[in-house]
Amino acid sequence: MCVCSFIIHNKDTFFNNATRSRIVHHILQRIKYEEGKNKIGLNRLLTNGSYEAAFPLHEGSYRSKNSIRTHGAENHRHLLYECWASWGVWYKYQPLDLVRRYFGEKIGLYFAWLGWYTGMLFPAAFIGLFVFLYGVMTLDHCQVSKEVCQATDIIMCPVCDKYCPFMKLSDSCVYAKVTHLFDNGATVFFAVFMAVWATVFLEFWKRRRAVIAYDWDLIDWEEEEEEIRPQFEAKYSKKERMNPISGKPEPYQAFADKCSRLIVSASGIFFMICVVIAAVFGIVIYRVVTVSTFAAFKWALIRNNSQVATTGTAVCINFCIIMLLNVLYEKVALLLTNLEQPRTESEWENSFTLKMFLFQFVNLNSSTFYIAFFLGRLIQNWWTRRKVRQEHGPERKISFPQWERDYNLQPMNAYGLFDEYLEMILQFGFTTIFVAAFPLAPLLALLNNIIEIRLDAYKFVTQWRRPLASRAKDIGIWYGILEGIGILSVITNAFVIAITSDFIPRLVYAYKYGPCAGQGEAGQKCMVGYVNASLSVFRISDFENRSEPESDGSEFSGTPLKYCRYRDYRDPPHSLVPYGYTLQFWHVLAARLAFIIVFEHLVFCIKHLISYLIPDLPKDLRDRMRREKYLIQEMMYEAELERLQKERKERKKNGKAHHNEWP
Amino acid sequence: MCVCSFIIHNKDTFFNNATRSRIVHHILQRIKYEEGKNKIGLNRLLTNGSYEAAFPLHEGSYRSKNSIRTHGAENHRHLLYECWASWGVWYKYQPLDLVRRYFGEKIGLYFAWLGWYTGMLFPAAFIGLFVFLYGVMTLDHCQVSKEVCQATDIIMCPVCDKYCPFMKLSDSCVYAKVTHLFDNGATVFFAVFMAVWATVFLEFWKRRRAVIAYDWDLIDWEEEEEEIRPQFEAKYSKKERMNPISGKPEPYQAFADKCSRLIVSASGIFFMICVVIAAVFGIVIYRVVTVSTFAAFKWALIRNNSQVATTGTAVCINFCIIMLLNVLYEKVALLLTNLEQPRTESEWENSFTLKMFLFQFVNLNSSTFYIAFFLGRLIQNWWTRRKVRQEHGPERKISFPQWERDYNLQPMNAYGLFDEYLEMILQFGFTTIFVAAFPLAPLLALLNNIIEIRLDAYKFVTQWRRPLASRAKDIGIWYGILEGIGILSVITNAFVIAITSDFIPRLVYAYKYGPCAGQGEAGQKCMVGYVNASLSVFRISDFENRSEPESDGSEFSGTPLKYCRYRDYRDPPHSLVPYGYTLQFWHVLAARLAFIIVFEHLVFCIKHLISYLIPDLPKDLRDRMRREKYLIQEMMYEAELERLQKERKERKKNGKAHHNEWP
C-alpha cells in the first residue's frame, strides 16, 4: 500500500504534467481494481465501518486566501469562489482551466458544456423573443381573432353531453388572442430556425470539445479496461472464462442469461411508459366525464365555471400522478438496472441514464408541464439564490482542521453528474422539441442557465466535499441523446405545425376559398370569413337523447335554437350526405400531409448540409495537430536516413570484401 | 539520388515488414515531393522525353511459374493468374492478400469492396427474383389486369390531339400484365427490404474494412502531408505564405479567389445538369408532338403503329443525346476541375469524382436506360469474356526481356480506379434507388459482378502494366457517395410507390369504395370494379376544335361515340362542377402523402436502429486490439512501478541523511 499513499498524496502536484498524470491515473486505476478484487484497502475499511468517510481535502476555506499547504501555495478554492461561484461574475466566462485543475476533467467538461449551451441560447432566445413580439404586434391586425371576438351571433354547440350550455363564439376571444401569440406565420420560421440551431449547436460543440480535449491533453488518452462490478462478480463467480483482453479468468455471464435479463428490463421500461401514457389518457377521460358533472353541480359558482374547475382539478391530479410516478420510477429504474447485472460501472451508468431519461421525457409530456418545468426551475433557482445570499453571513472563525470542516459538507451525490446533465438535457429537449408551441422557451432556458451555472458552481465550491477528480474525453451517452433530440425535434415540430396549429387551414383558406382565392396573395384581408368557413353547422334536433343539452338555447335570441356550430369541415345536415367531410376537409388534410413531407425533407437536408460543411476540428487546431505530426515524421525521416546511409557504407565495405554478391 | 534507387529496388522485399515499409513509404513520398518541387528526377526525364516510360516490372510471364528474379522466388503474377484471373475460379473467394502484395493496398481494397458487394448481392438477388416470380404466379389471379383485358366495351379517349384514334381499354392488356409483374404488393415489401439491405451493406462493410485494415497494418497508418500540384504552384507562385504545418513558404490561394472559382465551377455543374434535364423534357415534348404527326403519316404501317414509332425514335434520340452529353461532360468536368485549381492531387481527384458521379447519375436517369445499363454491361462482359477465351491461344515463346514485354502492355488509366468505382457505384445506385420499379435489378447486378471481378482481375494481371503500388485506408469519397445513395434510395422508393405506382389507389379502392369496403379485407375479390372506378368520363362534344379527333369512333359500335374514358378521378360532365376532382381523388391523394410519411419514418427508423445496433468493429477484432493495448499498458505499469520504488528507496536513503524534511 506504500505506492498508493505516495501517489494519492502527490496527486495534485502531478496533474499538470500530462505523461506522468496518465501513468499515475493508470496506477490508481490498477490499485482500485486490486482493491475491488481482493476486498482490501480503503473501500473495505469504509464498508466495515473502520473509517467513516474518505475524501480529498479542499485547499482551505473558500473565504481565505491561504491554502492549507504550508508552502504558501495559492488556495484555488478561494480563487474559484471569487471568480466563478459568486453572483457578481455572472456575465463573465468561466475559468474552465481552474475548474479542471481543481475538480478534474469530467466536471470541467460538464461546466464547459453548460457554458457553451448557455452561450448558444443567446441567439435562439433573441429570435424567440422577436417571434413572440411579432405575435404581440400583429395581435390587433389579426383577422381571425378579430372575427372570433366580434362573432356574438355565432352560437357554438355544447362541449359535453346534457349539462353543458351553448356558448357564443366571442366568449373564446381571449383564447383566440393568446393562440395568436404562439401560433402565427413566424412560428413556422422559428421552428425551422431552431432545428438548424440544434444542428449548429451540436456541430460546434464537437469543435469546442476538440479544442478542450487538445488543451487538456485528452486527445490520446483512452479509458483503461474497467474493473468488473463486485455485484457482477458475486453473482457469476461460479462460471469462469478467460478474459480475451487481460488473459485472466473472470466471471462470465451466459448470452442467454444476458438476453433474458435485457428482455425483462426492456419490458419493465415499456410497462412504465405505458403506465404514463395510460395516466395521460386517464386525465383526458376524467376531463370528458367531469365537465358534465361540474356543469350539473349544485353550487352555481362551480356550475358556471365548469370548464375552469375541470381543467384545474385535472392539472392537480396530473401533477400528483407525475410526482408519484417520478418517485416510483427512480426505484423501478434502479431495480431494473441492477437486475440487468451490467458488467462494469460505466455500463451500469449508461443503462440507468438511458432509462431515467426516457421515462422523464415521456412523463413530462404535456406542454403545461414543460412550461411549468421552465418557470418552476427558474423560480426555484431565484429562491435558492435568495437563500444563499441570506445565509451569506460572516464566517465563524473557529479553526477546525480542514478534514473536519470538509466532513461536515455534503458528499457529491451517488450518480455523479447525472442529475445536473439530466435536467439540462431535458431542458434542451423541451426547448427544441416543442418550440413551435412556445417560442419563449429559449429565453426562459437562457435566464435559468445563467443562474444555474453560478448555483452549480456555488454548490461544488462551498457546499460539497471535494469530489474525486476523474478524467473523461466527452460528455458520454448524453451526446447521443442530444443528437436523438435533434432529429426528434424536426419531426415533432413538423407534426405540431401541420396537425395541431391553425397554420395550414388558414393558408388553404387564403389561397383557395377566401376572398383573394386564386390571386396568389395571403394578406390579412384574404382571411376575411375564415372563422365562419372553419365552422360546420349542426341541427340541434339531431342530438341523441342522452346527449341533448338541458338548455334549449333560448337565452340568446328568445326563441329555441335550431342550429349550432362546431369546429370541423363537414357538410350541413340538409346535404346529400349529412355531416360528411367537405372538399375543404380533404384539401386541408392533403395540405397538412404535404407540409410534413416538405418541411421534413427541407430541414433534414439543411441539417445534413450543415453537418457536412462544418468540419469537426477548427482549422487552427487541425493545423497545429498536423504540424506536430509533421515534426515527428521529419525527425523519424532524418534518423532513418542516417541509419540507412550508415548501413549502406558498411555494406559497401563488406561488398569490397566479398566481390561475388550483388544485392 | 542513391537512397532513391536503393529503396525502389528493395521495395518489394520490404513490403511485409510493417514498420519498415511505413518508413520507406515516407521516404518515397518525400523524394517524390522533392522531385515535384525541384523538377528533377524520373518525372523530369519522362516529361522531356529522355525516357519513354517508367513502370515497375511484372514478376514474369503470367503463364510460367518462373519469376524473373534469379533466386528461384515464386512468380506471383502466375499465381494470381491461376487462382484469381481465370474464369474457372469464378465461384471462389479472391486471394486478397496476394492481390495486396502484388498491386498494393489501394487496388486490394477495390477488389475487397467489389467482392464484398457481390457477396451481399446474393440475398438481394434471391429476394428480388422471388418478388418477380410472385408477380408471375399471381398474374392470372390479378383482378385488375383481368378486368383490363376483358374491357372490350370501354373506349379510351385519344392520347393526342386530332390524329390519334379512340382505343379499346382491352388493347392495353399486355401492358397491364407487364405492369403487374413489377408493381404488386410484394414490391413495397421489397423496397423496404432493399433500403434495409443498403444499410446493412454499409454497416458490415465498415466492419469488413476494419478487419482488412488491421490485417494489412493500416490502422495506425495515416496519409502524409501531400505535395502541392505543379499547376497550383505555377499559378500562385507570386503570392507566398508560411505553411502552418511544415513552416516553409508555399504558394497561396486567396480566399476570394478560391470562392469565385468554386462558384464558377458550381454554376458550370448546375448548367450541365440543367442541360440534361432540358434534354429529358425535350424528349417528352418530342413525344407529345410527334405522336400526332406519326398518326397522320401517309404510310399505313407507321400510322397504325404511331405509338411504337414515337417511342422508338424518342429512345434513339435520347440515347444519342446521352452519349453526346457523356463525351462532352467529361471534357467540361476536366475543365472545371482544373479551373478550380485544387491544391493537391487528392483534392483534384475528389472534386473530379464528385462532378462525374453527379452528372452520370442525372444523365442515366430514365428507367429505360438503367435497364439498358444493366443488360448492356452484362452483354458487354459476356462478349469480352468470349473474346478473351478465343484469344487464349498458345503463347509465343519468344523470350523478350520482361521490361520490353511489359512496355507493350497498356498503362493503367490516368484516373486510377475511378472508372471501375464509378461503374460499380452507379450500379449500386440504380439497384437500390429504382428497386421498386424493377425488382430483378439485384440479380442482373449479381450476374454482372461475378463476371466483372474476373474480367478486372484479367485486365490487371495480363493486359496492363503493373501499376505503382500505393496505400489507402478506405475507399475514399466513394463511401460518402454510397451513404448518400442509401438515404436517397429511401426517398425515391417512397415516392415511386406512392406516386407512380398503382399500389395506393388500389388499397384505397379496396378499403373504401370496392365491394368489401368497410369490412377490413383487401383480397382480389375486393378489387372487382376497380378499373371502371379509376376511369372518368369525357363528353366528346367537349373537345376543343383543334384537338377534336378526326375519327368519330363509329368503328366500334357503328354509331358516333358520345363519351370516352380517361384515367383520373374527376366528376362526369353533367355534374355540378364538370370535370372537378371527386372525393376519391382527395382520398387517394391523402393516402399517397400519408404513405410517404409513414414509409420514410419507418424505414429511416429501421436504418438508424440497425446502424446503432451493429458495432463498427467485430467483437473479435476489438478484443484483439484492446488486448494489444492492455499488454502495452501492463508493460508501462511494471516499468513505472519499478522506477517509483527505486526512487522511493533513494529518497528514504536521503531522508535518513536529512531528517528535517517531510514530503
Side-chain angles (χ1 to χ4, degrees):
Chain A
M1 290 312 294
C2 51
V3 177
C4 171
S5 72
F6 166 78
I7 299 292
I8 290 176
H9 195 90
N10 286 272
K11 202 171 147 200
D12 275 356
T13 50
F14 269 20
F15 247 100
N16 293 320
N17 183 322
T19 335
R20 284 183 76 88
S21 85
R22 206 172 302 154
I23 290 164
V24 167
H25 180 89
H26 177 75
I27 294 177
L28 277 175
Q29 197 80 10
R30 175 71 182 244
I31 290 163
K32 216 169 134 199
Y33 178 79
E34 302 272 317
E35 279 180 11
K37 197 100 183 165
N38 306 323
K39 312 266 183 257
I40 55 150
L42 208 53
N43 284 333
R44 172 85 178 153
L45 293 170
L46 279 170
T47 11
N48 71 15
S50 305
Y51 283 176
E52 267 187 51
F55 45 86
L57 292 188
H58 276 298
E59 292 189 0
S61 163
Y62 62 90
R63 291 297 185 84
S64 87
K65 277 193 178 180
N66 300 326
S67 168
I68 45 168
R69 301 206 200 155
T70 45
H71 306 293
E74 202 172 7
N75 178 0
H76 289 124
R77 193 187 185 194
H78 172 72
L79 207 60
L80 276 173
Y81 177 73
E82 288 276 295
C83 62
W84 184 48
S86 317
W87 297 113
V89 294
W90 66 271
Y91 57 93
K92 284 189 182 167
Y93 284 115
Q94 301 176 76
L96 288 176
D97 286 331
L98 200 60
V99 174
R100 173 233 179 182
R101 203 191 154 90
Y102 198 82
F103 291 112
E105 280 83 0
K106 203 168 185 176
I107 291 171
L109 259 172
Y110 166 69
F111 281 103
W113 180 82
L114 185 55
W116 177 252
Y117 171 43
T118 308
M120 286 293 289
L121 274 174
F122 273 99
F126 183 74
I127 305 266
L129 186 64
F130 187 78
V131 166
F132 180 75
L133 287 181
Y134 173 84
V136 174
M137 309 268 273
T138 55
L139 192 56
D140 292 338
H141 306 288
C142 176
Q143 183 64 28
V144 176
S145 56
K146 217 185 282 174
E147 279 183 21
V148 169
C149 295
Q150 290 165 353
T152 48
D153 54 335
I154 296 181
I155 310 298
M156 300 296 288
C157 300
V159 294
C160 72
D161 288 353
K162 221 163 177 178
Y163 301 108
C164 289
F166 290 97
M167 306 252 284
K168 287 186 206 161
L169 180 57
S170 56
D171 291 348
S172 60
C173 176
V174 176
Y175 177 76
K177 283 188 171 170
V178 172
T179 303
H180 175 77
L181 291 185
F182 300 122
D183 178 10
N184 52 60
T187 318
V188 178
F189 155 77
F190 191 52
V192 176
F193 170 82
M194 282 303 283
V196 172
W197 175 84
T199 316
V200 171
F201 170 72
L202 283 175
E203 289 300 317
F204 275 97
W205 166 247
K206 269 191 224 160
R207 292 161 67 95
R208 175 92 183 110
R209 193 197 69 81
V211 173
I212 292 173
Y214 181 83
D215 287 347
W216 293 357
D217 195 47
L218 296 166
I219 297 267
D220 292 325
W221 177 78
E222 272 176 279
E223 208 82 55
E224 255 103 319
E225 291 304 322
E226 233 179 316
E227 72 253 55
I228 297 176
R229 297 183 76 221
Q231 290 91 327
F232 183 88
E233 209 156 1
K235 175 83 189 172
Y236 296 103
S237 57
K238 279 169 199 162
K239 247 188 186 173
E240 292 216 329
R241 63 143 194 190
M242 200 72 93
N243 183 321
I245 291 137
S246 65
K248 290 169 191 158
E250 64 165 26
Y252 166 69
Q253 185 179 22
F255 185 73
D257 183 76
K258 191 174 176 179
C259 275
S260 54
R261 276 165 193 280
L262 268 180
I263 289 168
V264 170
S265 173
S267 44
I269 301 165
F270 182 74
F271 174 76
M272 283 308 290
I273 287 175
C274 285
V275 167
V276 173
I277 293 170
V280 172
F281 271 94
I283 296 292
V284 171
I285 291 168
Y286 167 84
R287 291 178 73 151
V288 170
V289 171
T290 46
V291 75
S292 53
T293 317
F294 278 122
F297 219 69
K298 55 182 175 177
W299 293 351
L301 182 73
I302 291 179
R303 193 164 59 238
N304 295 340
N305 296 296
S306 63
Q307 289 263 22
V308 178
T310 312
T311 309
T313 49
V315 167
C316 287
I317 293 172
N318 201 353
F319 185 74
C320 291
I321 291 176
I322 285 179
M323 286 297 132
L324 199 77
L325 283 178
N326 245 358
V327 173
L328 182 69
Y329 189 71
E330 195 170 324
K331 291 202 182 3
V332 173
L334 260 174
L335 202 81
L336 286 178
T337 314
N338 286 333
L339 182 86
E340 271 177 33
Q341 292 283 6
R343 206 172 141 271
T344 63
E345 257 332 299
S346 66
E347 272 175 31
W348 190 93
E349 250 174 48
N350 284 348
S351 172
F352 184 70
T353 300
L354 204 64
K355 279 190 194 61
M356 285 300 284
F357 173 77
L358 261 181
F359 178 79
Q360 293 264 16
F361 204 69
V362 179
N363 200 16
L364 293 172
N365 42 22
S366 75
S367 55
T368 328
F369 285 98
Y370 101 92
I371 293 172
F373 174 84
F374 277 118
L375 292 177
R377 280 302 307 179
L378 200 54
I379 291 163
Q380 189 185 336
N381 276 347
W382 277 104
W383 185 253
T384 321
R385 191 187 149 163
R386 257 179 69 96
K387 243 176 62 188
V388 162
R389 205 181 261 162
Q390 284 168 354
E391 281 172 2
H392 219 62
E395 204 184 12
R396 284 154 299 164
K397 284 261 178 190
I398 308 163
S399 55
F400 282 130
Q402 188 66 34
W403 55 84
E404 282 197 41
R405 274 190 282 167
D406 284 6
Y407 179 73
N408 291 323
L409 297 178
Q410 285 179 10
M412 198 177 153
N413 73 28
Y415 313 138
L417 291 161
F418 176 79
D419 281 341
E420 276 79 13
Y421 270 120
L422 179 65
E423 188 194 320
M424 280 300 118
I425 303 269
L426 280 177
Q427 189 202 68
F428 179 83
F430 291 141
T431 312
T432 50
I433 287 180
F434 296 111
V435 77
F438 187 50
L440 283 183
L443 183 67
L444 295 186
L446 174 65
L447 294 178
N448 177 61
N449 286 8
I450 289 175
I451 304 170
E452 184 86 26
I453 290 180
R454 305 300 155 181
L455 210 64
D456 277 355
Y458 187 80
K459 259 186 339 199
F460 271 98
V461 175
T462 69
Q463 305 293 303
W464 284 356
R465 289 183 197 157
R466 189 175 183 180
L468 259 173
S470 63
R471 287 191 157 214
K473 241 187 148 154
D474 48 38
I475 59 173
I477 198 176
W478 296 111
Y479 185 81
I481 291 178
L482 283 176
E483 269 189 333
I485 290 175
I487 291 170
L488 197 64
S489 75
V490 177
I491 298 174
T492 43
N493 275 316
F495 276 82
V496 165
I497 295 171
I499 308 290
T500 69
S501 102
D502 241 14
F503 178 71
I504 301 292
R506 283 184 201 175
L507 267 191
V508 170
Y509 180 80
Y511 283 103
K512 272 283 186 183
Y513 295 91
C516 6
Q519 292 170 28
E521 277 182 84
Q524 284 300 329
K525 69 175 169 29
C526 304
M527 295 306 298
V528 174
Y530 167 75
V531 172
N532 194 29
S534 68
L535 296 173
S536 302
V537 174
F538 189 79
R539 183 161 52 196
I540 291 169
S541 57
D542 287 346
F543 269 124
E544 284 170 31
N545 261 342
R546 60 172 193 86
S547 43
E548 197 172 345
E550 285 189 327
S551 139
D552 62 356
S554 51
E555 63 266 34
F556 294 106
S557 54
T559 54
L561 277 174
K562 274 189 176 168
Y563 298 101
C564 64
R565 310 289 295 270
Y566 61 102
R567 273 174 226 279
D568 207 342
Y569 298 98
R570 285 178 185 271
D571 284 322
H574 44 75
S575 66
L576 228 71
V577 188
Y579 307 120
Y581 285 120
T582 59
L583 211 59
Q584 195 175 355
F585 170 83
W586 293 103
H587 250 145
V588 169
L589 181 63
R592 284 185 203 274
L593 296 175
F595 175 83
I596 293 176
I597 294 174
V598 171
F599 183 89
E600 287 192 1
H601 281 103
L602 183 79
V603 175
F604 277 120
C605 193
I606 295 174
K607 266 177 93 88
H608 273 106
L609 198 72
I610 287 175
S611 59
Y612 174 77
L613 285 181
I614 300 177
D616 284 359
L617 291 178
K619 197 181 171 318
D620 179 46
L621 176 62
R622 211 193 46 183
D623 279 353
R624 243 190 303 172
M625 285 163 71
R626 278 164 70 191
R627 166 94 179 143
E628 280 170 20
K629 222 177 61 193
Y630 171 84
L631 289 178
I632 293 170
Q633 275 177 351
E634 281 295 292
M635 269 158 56
M636 257 174 68
Y637 165 67
E638 299 293 340
E640 186 68 9
L641 203 63
E642 218 166 90
R643 205 186 56 74
L644 279 173
Q645 276 165 343
K646 206 187 276 174
E647 221 174 64
R648 205 179 151 75
K649 260 184 211 162
E650 268 174 42
R651 221 192 259 221
K652 258 189 191 161
K653 237 187 267 171
N654 295 349
K656 272 175 195 162
H658 322 268
H659 265 283
N660 50 348
E661 259 181 69
W662 174 246
Chain B
M1 294 308 294
C2 54
V3 176
C4 169
S5 73
F6 168 78
I7 299 291
I8 289 177
H9 195 89
N10 286 272
K11 200 173 149 199
D12 276 356
T13 50
F14 268 24
F15 247 100
N16 293 322
N17 184 321
T19 336
R20 285 184 74 88
S21 84
R22 206 173 301 155
I23 290 162
V24 167
H25 181 87
H26 178 74
I27 294 177
L28 278 174
Q29 197 80 9
R30 175 69 184 243
I31 290 163
K32 218 169 130 196
Y33 178 78
E34 301 272 317
E35 279 181 13
K37 198 102 185 165
N38 307 323
K39 311 269 181 253
I40 56 149
L42 208 52
N43 284 334
R44 172 85 178 152
L45 293 169
L46 279 170
T47 10
N48 70 16
S50 307
Y51 283 177
E52 270 188 46
F55 45 86
L57 293 186
H58 274 299
E59 293 190 0
S61 161
Y62 63 88
R63 292 296 187 83
S64 85
K65 278 192 176 178
N66 300 326
S67 167
I68 46 169
R69 302 209 199 153
T70 47
H71 307 294
E74 204 172 1
N75 177 0
H76 290 123
R77 192 187 186 195
H78 172 72
L79 207 59
L80 277 174
Y81 177 73
E82 287 276 294
C83 64
W84 186 47
S86 317
W87 296 113
V89 294
W90 66 269
Y91 58 92
K92 284 187 184 168
Y93 283 116
Q94 303 176 77
L96 288 176
D97 286 332
L98 200 59
V99 174
R100 174 234 178 180
R101 202 189 155 90
Y102 197 82
F103 292 111
E105 280 83 0
K106 203 168 186 178
I107 293 172
L109 259 172
Y110 166 69
F111 281 103
W113 181 81
L114 186 55
W116 177 253
Y117 172 42
T118 308
M120 286 293 289
L121 275 173
F122 273 98
F126 182 75
I127 307 266
L129 186 66
F130 187 79
V131 167
F132 180 76
L133 288 181
Y134 173 83
V136 174
M137 309 269 271
T138 55
L139 192 56
D140 292 338
H141 306 288
C142 175
Q143 183 65 28
V144 176
S145 56
K146 216 185 281 175
E147 279 183 21
V148 169
C149 295
Q150 289 167 353
T152 48
D153 54 336
I154 295 182
I155 310 297
M156 299 297 288
C157 300
V159 293
C160 71
D161 288 353
K162 221 165 180 179
Y163 302 107
C164 289
F166 292 97
M167 308 252 283
K168 287 183 205 161
L169 181 57
S170 58
D171 291 348
S172 60
C173 174
V174 175
Y175 177 78
K177 282 186 172 171
V178 172
T179 303
H180 175 77
L181 291 185
F182 298 121
D183 179 11
N184 53 59
T187 319
V188 179
F189 155 76
F190 191 51
V192 176
F193 171 82
M194 282 302 284
V196 172
W197 175 85
T199 315
V200 171
F201 170 72
L202 283 175
E203 288 301 317
F204 275 97
W205 167 247
K206 266 191 225 161
R207 292 161 68 95
R208 175 91 183 112
R209 193 198 68 81
V211 173
I212 292 173
Y214 181 84
D215 286 348
W216 292 357
D217 195 46
L218 297 167
I219 297 268
D220 292 325
W221 177 78
E222 271 176 279
E223 208 84 51
E224 255 100 319
E225 292 303 321
E226 233 179 317
E227 73 253 54
I228 296 176
R229 295 183 77 222
Q231 290 92 325
F232 183 87
E233 207 156 2
K235 177 83 188 170
Y236 295 102
S237 56
K238 279 169 201 162
K239 247 187 185 172
E240 292 215 328
R241 63 144 195 189
M242 199 71 92
N243 182 322
I245 292 139
S246 65
K248 291 169 190 157
E250 65 166 23
Y252 166 69
Q253 185 180 20
F255 186 71
D257 184 75
K258 193 174 175 179
C259 273
S260 54
R261 279 164 191 280
L262 268 180
I263 288 168
V264 170
S265 173
S267 46
I269 302 166
F270 184 73
F271 174 75
M272 283 307 292
I273 287 176
C274 285
V275 168
V276 173
I277 293 169
V280 172
F281 271 95
I283 296 291
V284 171
I285 290 168
Y286 168 84
R287 291 178 74 150
V288 170
V289 171
T290 47
V291 75
S292 53
T293 318
F294 278 123
F297 219 68
K298 56 181 176 179
W299 294 350
L301 183 73
I302 290 178
R303 193 165 59 241
N304 295 341
N305 296 296
S306 62
Q307 290 262 21
V308 178
T310 313
T311 308
T313 49
V315 167
C316 287
I317 293 171
N318 201 354
F319 185 73
C320 291
I321 291 176
I322 285 178
M323 287 297 133
L324 199 78
L325 283 178
N326 245 357
V327 173
L328 182 71
Y329 188 71
E330 194 170 325
K331 292 204 184 356
V332 174
L334 259 174
L335 202 83
L336 287 177
T337 313
N338 286 332
L339 182 87
E340 271 179 32
Q341 293 283 8
R343 206 171 141 270
T344 63
E345 259 329 301
S346 65
E347 273 175 28
W348 190 94
E349 248 174 49
N350 284 348
S351 172
F352 184 70
T353 300
L354 205 63
K355 278 191 194 62
M356 285 299 286
F357 172 78
L358 263 182
F359 178 78
Q360 292 264 15
F361 203 70
V362 179
N363 200 15
L364 292 172
N365 41 22
S366 74
S367 57
T368 331
F369 285 98
Y370 103 88
I371 293 172
F373 174 85
F374 278 118
L375 292 176
R377 280 300 310 175
L378 199 56
I379 291 164
Q380 191 186 332
N381 276 347
W382 276 103
W383 184 252
T384 322
R385 191 189 148 162
R386 257 179 68 97
K387 245 176 58 190
V388 164
R389 205 181 261 162
Q390 282 167 359
E391 280 172 3
H392 219 60
E395 204 185 9
R396 285 153 296 165
K397 284 263 178 186
I398 308 162
S399 55
F400 281 129
Q402 188 66 33
W403 52 85
E404 284 198 36
R405 275 191 281 169
D406 282 7
Y407 179 71
N408 292 321
L409 298 177
Q410 287 179 10
M412 200 179 155
N413 73 28
Y415 312 138
L417 290 163
F418 176 79
D419 282 341
E420 277 77 14
Y421 270 120
L422 180 65
E423 188 193 319
M424 280 301 117
I425 302 267
L426 280 177
Q427 190 203 69
F428 178 82
F430 290 140
T431 312
T432 49
I433 287 179
F434 296 112
V435 76
F438 186 51
L440 283 182
L443 183 66
L444 295 186
L446 175 64
L447 294 177
N448 176 62
N449 286 8
I450 289 174
I451 303 171
E452 183 87 24
I453 290 179
R454 305 301 155 179
L455 211 63
D456 277 355
Y458 187 80
K459 260 187 335 200
F460 271 97
V461 174
T462 70
Q463 306 292 305
W464 284 355
R465 288 183 197 157
R466 189 175 183 178
L468 260 173
S470 62
R471 285 189 161 217
K473 241 185 149 159
D474 48 39
I475 59 174
I477 197 178
W478 296 110
Y479 185 80
I481 291 178
L482 283 176
E483 268 189 333
I485 290 175
I487 292 171
L488 196 64
S489 75
V490 178
I491 299 173
T492 44
N493 275 316
F495 277 82
V496 165
I497 295 172
I499 310 289
T500 71
S501 102
D502 241 14
F503 178 71
I504 301 293
R506 283 185 202 176
L507 268 191
V508 170
Y509 180 80
Y511 283 103
K512 271 284 185 183
Y513 294 91
C516 6
Q519 291 169 28
E521 277 181 83
Q524 283 300 330
K525 69 174 168 31
C526 305
M527 295 305 298
V528 174
Y530 168 74
V531 172
N532 193 30
S534 69
L535 296 174
S536 301
V537 175
F538 189 79
R539 184 160 50 195
I540 290 168
S541 57
D542 287 345
F543 269 123
E544 284 170 31
N545 261 343
R546 60 170 193 87
S547 43
E548 198 173 344
E550 285 190 326
S551 138
D552 62 357
S554 52
E555 64 267 33
F556 294 107
S557 55
T559 53
L561 279 174
K562 274 190 176 167
Y563 297 102
C564 65
R565 309 290 294 272
Y566 61 101
R567 270 174 227 279
D568 207 343
Y569 298 98
R570 283 178 186 272
D571 283 325
H574 45 74
S575 65
L576 228 72
V577 188
Y579 306 121
Y581 286 119
T582 60
L583 211 60
Q584 196 174 354
F585 169 84
W586 292 104
H587 249 146
V588 169
L589 181 64
R592 284 186 203 275
L593 295 174
F595 175 82
I596 293 176
I597 295 173
V598 172
F599 183 90
E600 287 191 0
H601 282 102
L602 184 78
V603 175
F604 278 120
C605 191
I606 296 175
K607 267 177 93 87
H608 273 106
L609 198 71
I610 287 175
S611 59
Y612 173 76
L613 285 181
I614 300 177
D616 284 359
L617 291 178
K619 196 183 172 318
D620 180 45
L621 177 62
R622 209 193 47 184
D623 278 353
R624 243 191 303 171
M625 285 164 70
R626 278 165 68 190
R627 166 91 179 146
E628 280 168 21
K629 221 177 63 194
Y630 172 83
L631 288 178
I632 293 170
Q633 275 177 352
E634 280 296 290
M635 269 157 55
M636 257 175 70
Y637 164 67
E638 299 293 339
E640 185 67 10
L641 203 64
E642 218 165 88
R643 205 187 58 72
L644 279 173
Q645 274 166 345
K646 205 188 275 174
E647 222 174 64
R648 206 178 151 74
K649 260 182 209 164
E650 267 173 42
R651 219 191 260 220
K652 259 187 188 163
K653 236 188 267 169
N654 294 349
K656 271 173 193 162
H658 323 267
H659 267 283
N660 50 347
E661 260 180 69
W662 175 246

